[in-house]
Amino acid sequence: MLNQHMVALGNNRSTIRELFEYGNQRAAVVGRENVFDFSIGNPNVPAPDAVREAILAEAAGDPVSLHGYTSAQGAADARKALADDLNRRFGTSYTGDSLYLTAGAAAALSCAFQAIACPGDEFVVLAPYFPEYLMFIESGAGAKAVIVPPSIADFQIDFDALEKALNAHTKAVVVNSPNNPSGAVYSEQTVKQLAALLRDKEAQYGHPIYLVSDEPYREIVYDGVQVPFVPNYYDDTIVCYSYSKSLSLPGERIGYVLVPPQAADSADLYAAVCGAGRALGYVCAPSLFQRVAARCAGQTSDISVYQTNRDLLYEGLTSMGYSCVKPQGAFYLFPQTLEPDDRAFCERAKKYDLLVVPGADFGAPGHMRISYCVQTETIRRALPLFAELAKEYQND
Ligand code: PLP
């Protein structure tokens, strides 16, 4: 007898993966250039030159240590370099001992959730959310995910709804800013209000409520928007970070968990993160890319093409009647669909080979996610098709 739950997880591909596969099939029929695949969030700008230089510099070093295991939490010099970079940017005073290096944000989140989850615990997730959170919380950590509906007007936080979701079982609240899929960046006011609410609830329930801040898009912001550094506002924060997006390295699998010393039970919490990584069999993060990330600390891919794409798509779609909150970060647009049934809308869009993901997958039905990490030309050619699709609804 196999674990049927895992069999089901393996067999049920996410809608995003389904669309991606469908796009490949359509490309074989109509040609790759005629499929407008906005389904997946794979960075399409190259890693900065510094990454290549770092790889070459590391490759010229000792070939044994280059590919060897590191400490489970990551090489000490790499962790120190990354902590120093955070300190420079955010005025903090972390040491490398606050960092646990991981295979990307997915592994960081899994370690963080499993480090803190006890039987009966609830994790509050704010919609719209990255769908894999539910997988990591429920199937990975064995906790319950409690979804808070989105604040549609601006994709900040609906604090009344959040407050209703908090109770004595709440172990953590999961936030993601800049957000996938909405592109919203939480304002300082939002973060302050969130911190104040959670401090009140900690006092009321007499135990820590951790704020798990998932930040793979931290540096991908437009128009000079500032992303508040959450641990500077709320002590009981655990940061999960990734270089998948900021350095365009999603396949290399490198990121970290930051357990700030200010967090409740921080020494045990850090040990628990290491313990979770051990239980998951992670051993250590990819050693070459630990060092590459350390050498490239503070660098970001050239994201100007994302801004061009955002502007083109936002202006184009809103001028033809689509309604959308202007994203300030990440590389997603999250407009409302032209009918309440977002799945039906996304199915209809396929007629034009426009591949967009239903908002329901992110806990926000009535929306579609458009990943604009594509060639600008793809967007230029897709806009008339979005217009034709909109016309169909006017004629209905
Ligand atoms: N969190 C969010 C919000 C994401 O969008 C993604 C990937 O798209 C991840 C986590 C996982 O990223 P990684 O590639 O670092 O595992």
Side-chain angles (χ1 to χ4, degrees):
M1 178 70 173
L2 301 177
N3 179 332
Q4 291 306 310
H5 180 62
M6 293 301 163
V7 173
L9 288 189
N11 279 332
N12 293 334
R13 275 201 299 241
S14 71
T15 315
I16 298 173
R17 286 275 153 198
E18 290 287 353
L19 272 172
F20 184 66
E21 298 302 335
Y22 172 82
N24 287 338
Q25 286 164 19
R26 285 295 295 160
V29 179
V30 296
R32 172 71 55 196
E33 69 287 1
N34 295 318
V35 179
F36 301 91
D37 186 353
F38 297 108
S39 66
I40 210 157
N42 212 357
N44 74 317
V45 300
D49 290 345
V51 166
R52 193 162 181 276
E53 286 154 19
I55 294 170
L56 292 175
E58 289 295 334
D62 171 26
V64 176
S65 72
L66 178 64
H67 300 299
Y69 294 123
T70 66
S71 307
Q73 61 271 48
D77 53 348
R79 286 184 289 122
K80 180 179 182 320
L82 298 178
D84 288 347
D85 176 56
L86 288 173
N87 296 339
R88 263 193 306 275
R89 290 159 66 200
F90 303 116
T92 47
S93 47
Y94 303 133
T95 69
D97 293 339
S98 294
L99 291 174
Y100 174 84
L101 306 192
T102 59
L109 289 160
S110 296
C111 289
F113 294 156
Q114 297 203 23
I116 59 178
C118 299
D121 278 350
E122 296 184 3
F123 284 61
V124 172
V125 174
L126 307 180
Y129 52 77
F130 177 56
E132 292 299 283
Y133 292 157
L134 307 189
M135 198 66 57
F136 302 154
I137 291 169
E138 294 183 331
S139 301
K144 181 177 171 198
V146 175
I147 313 286
V148 173
S151 167
I152 303 284
D154 55 5
F155 292 121
Q156 297 286 312
I157 295 177
D158 178 342
F159 280 101
D160 290 336
L162 172 58
E163 192 163 358
K164 283 197 196 104
L166 300 172
N167 62 50
H169 300 288
T170 307
K171 179 56 75 64
V173 174
V174 185
V175 291
N176 167 225
S177 163
N179 184 267
N180 172 8
S182 72
V185 175
Y186 286 169
S187 66
E188 186 177 39
Q189 166 58 28
T190 295
V191 176
K192 281 184 171 164
Q193 199 176 338
L194 177 62
L197 174 64
L198 294 185
R199 273 193 291 270
D200 278 358
K201 294 293 170 185
E202 286 190 327
Q204 183 181 343
Y205 299 125
H207 62 76
I209 298 178
Y210 291 103
L211 188 53
V212 178
S213 183
D214 179 27
E215 307 183 355
Y217 302 94
R218 189 197 287 144
E219 291 79 13
I220 302 184
V221 289
Y222 311 113
D223 308 325
V225 163
Q226 296 293 315
V227 180
F229 188 61
V230 181
N232 287 349
Y233 295 84
Y234 185 67
D235 284 348
D236 295 336
T237 298
I238 305 171
V239 174
C240 296
Y241 183 78
S242 167
Y243 294 92
S244 293
K245 318 290 173 171
S246 60
L247 289 179
S248 306
L249 295 175
E252 303 298 353
R253 314 305 305 137
I254 188 75
Y256 60 74
V257 182
L258 166 69
V259 178
Q262 295 80 6
D265 306 319
S266 71
D268 278 353
L269 177 57
Y270 184 82
V273 168
C274 297
R278 187 177 167 197
L280 285 159
Y282 289 165
V283 184
C284 66
S287 58
L288 172 59
F289 277 84
Q290 291 185 29
R291 298 191 169 89
V292 170
R295 281 181 183 262
C296 298
Q299 305 247 10
T300 305
S301 302
D302 177 1
I303 61 166
S304 53
V305 68
Y306 296 149
Q307 169 131 26
T308 305
N309 289 358
R310 179 204 64 162
D311 292 345
L312 193 62
L313 202 51
Y314 176 79
E315 300 303 334
L317 291 183
T318 50
S319 72
M320 52 182 90
Y322 291 88
S323 156
C324 183
V325 177
K326 190 170 190 179
Q328 295 178 301
F331 37 57
Y332 308 101
L333 209 76
F334 202 53
Q336 289 180 15
T337 47
L338 299 178
E339 61 178 303
D341 183 343
D342 50 315
R343 291 195 193 285
F345 176 87
C346 294
E347 239 355 89
R348 202 156 165 180
K350 278 179 170 176
K351 205 165 75 183
Y352 298 92
D353 286 310
L354 293 170
L355 307 188
V356 292
V357 187
D361 281 31
F362 308 92
H367 293 79
M368 60 173 145
R369 189 188 77 170
I370 307 178
S371 285
Y372 56 78
C373 41
V374 297
Q375 304 278 324
T376 305
E377 189 50 25
T378 304
I379 295 175
R380 282 210 179 90
R381 293 180 50 236
L383 281 172
L385 301 173
F386 277 110
E388 279 189 47
L389 180 57
K391 256 191 235 139
E392 274 195 30
Y393 282 91
Q394 283 152 15
N395 297 337
D396 269 358

